[in-house]
Amino acid sequence: MLITHDTRCALDAVVDLVNSAPDEEGAAEAASAGSGAAADGLADVAALNEFVKRNAISDVGVLTERDLAGVHHIRGRFAEVFAATEPHVAATLINELIAAAGTTPRLTDHDGYDWHVHYFAPGASVADHLAADCGMALAFFVVAGEQERLRRCEAPDCRRAFIDLSRNRSRRYCDSRTCGNRLHVAAYRARRREAAGLEQDGQEPPESAASAASARLEEQQVVQ
């Protein structure tokens, strides 16, 4: 599917937004340890300002606590979109987001960019801005039958959101250089320990199985 520059920017922003939320398991562990809630990437207005700057979100005025609360609300709604397993569930959530934002499509060529569409209404709050533009960006995936590309990292200790833009929908980790490689290394070390244990017991390690596993590992690394 064709992804324009402005759509890609909106996709990057919504992934960044969803991943700014405290990890639920981390929050539970922190609470049980009596150390307070897990870190929130958008804990205050200063963090929200940094988020806006990092994602080059245009037409944003002075941000307040009210803006922060609004962004926290839509963050939870977008997290539900990534958690949806059926297209009609994702569609319902997205429809609610873009309707509540007062979506108003309009062409613009601001800041030297080529013509593209903004979906947020002029003067919209940053929460409505994100709900409209990011909601429409995700809507294109549902329309294209590609909703399954909205994923969470498969690493056991990481549930970060990401959008799989690989040609064959093969991406499994939020970042192949961290989560992906870390699991590949762990799997390799586990095979080495198993082989060493067999040798100590006087058994021959299953060469064919090891070779097959190595081939799969190399294939995964190429895909990622």
Side-chain angles (χ1 to χ4, degrees):
M1 61 183 292
L2 176 65
I3 299 177
T4 59
H5 169 77
D6 52 305
T7 299
R8 181 57 187 266
C9 289
L11 295 175
D12 289 343
V14 73
V15 167
D16 191 10
L17 176 63
V18 171
N19 287 335
S20 72
D23 176 68
E24 292 182 1
E25 292 183 4
E29 291 176 1
S32 63
S35 57
D40 186 336
L42 292 177
D44 51 32
V45 174
L48 180 57
N49 270 303
E50 180 57 34
F51 171 86
V52 167
K53 182 185 301 183
R54 183 168 63 247
N55 289 283
I57 299 173
S58 60
D59 296 342
V60 175
V62 178
L63 299 174
T64 65
E65 291 290 342
R66 182 175 181 178
D67 290 308
L68 182 63
V71 171
H72 281 173
H73 173 71
I74 64 163
R75 179 175 67 180
R77 300 293 283 166
F78 277 124
E80 292 180 46
V81 175
F82 276 84
T85 57
E86 296 294 335
H88 74 273
V89 175
T92 297
L93 291 165
I94 293 171
N95 282 340
E96 291 173 353
L97 277 162
I98 61 179
T103 302
T104 307
R106 56 194 169 93
L107 284 165
T108 179
D109 63 345
H110 68 89
D111 297 329
Y113 291 110
D114 291 334
W115 288 104
H116 59 282
V117 180
H118 277 179
Y119 295 96
F120 62 94
S125 68
V126 65
D128 285 344
H129 181 145
L130 291 168
D133 276 15
C134 296
M136 287 302 302
L138 297 182
F140 296 143
F141 282 80
V142 177
V143 170
E146 302 280 5
Q147 181 242 336
E148 67 180 89
R149 291 182 181 271
L150 312 182
R151 298 181 174 175
R152 291 279 188 174
C153 185
E154 292 185 15
D157 57 348
C158 178
R159 294 296 296 162
R160 290 175 62 83
F162 69 91
I163 297 175
D164 180 7
L165 298 179
S166 65
R167 180 174 298 180
N168 57 357
R169 307 179 188 178
S170 61
R171 185 175 168 187
R172 299 169 55 199
Y173 308 111
C174 63
D175 189 339
S176 61
R177 291 171 298 179
T178 54
C179 288
N181 282 348
R182 181 162 47 82
L183 289 184
H184 292 157
V185 170
Y188 171 76
R189 289 176 176 171
R191 289 194 299 272
R192 290 291 299 272
R193 287 195 297 270
E194 181 181 1
L198 290 174
E199 290 175 354
Q200 289 178 356
D201 292 340
Q203 302 178 41
E204 289 292 329
E207 294 295 336
S208 59
S211 298
S214 177
R216 287 196 300 271
L217 174 58
E218 293 177 357
E219 181 181 359
Q220 287 175 348
Q221 290 175 327
V222 169
V223 169
Q224 297 296 334

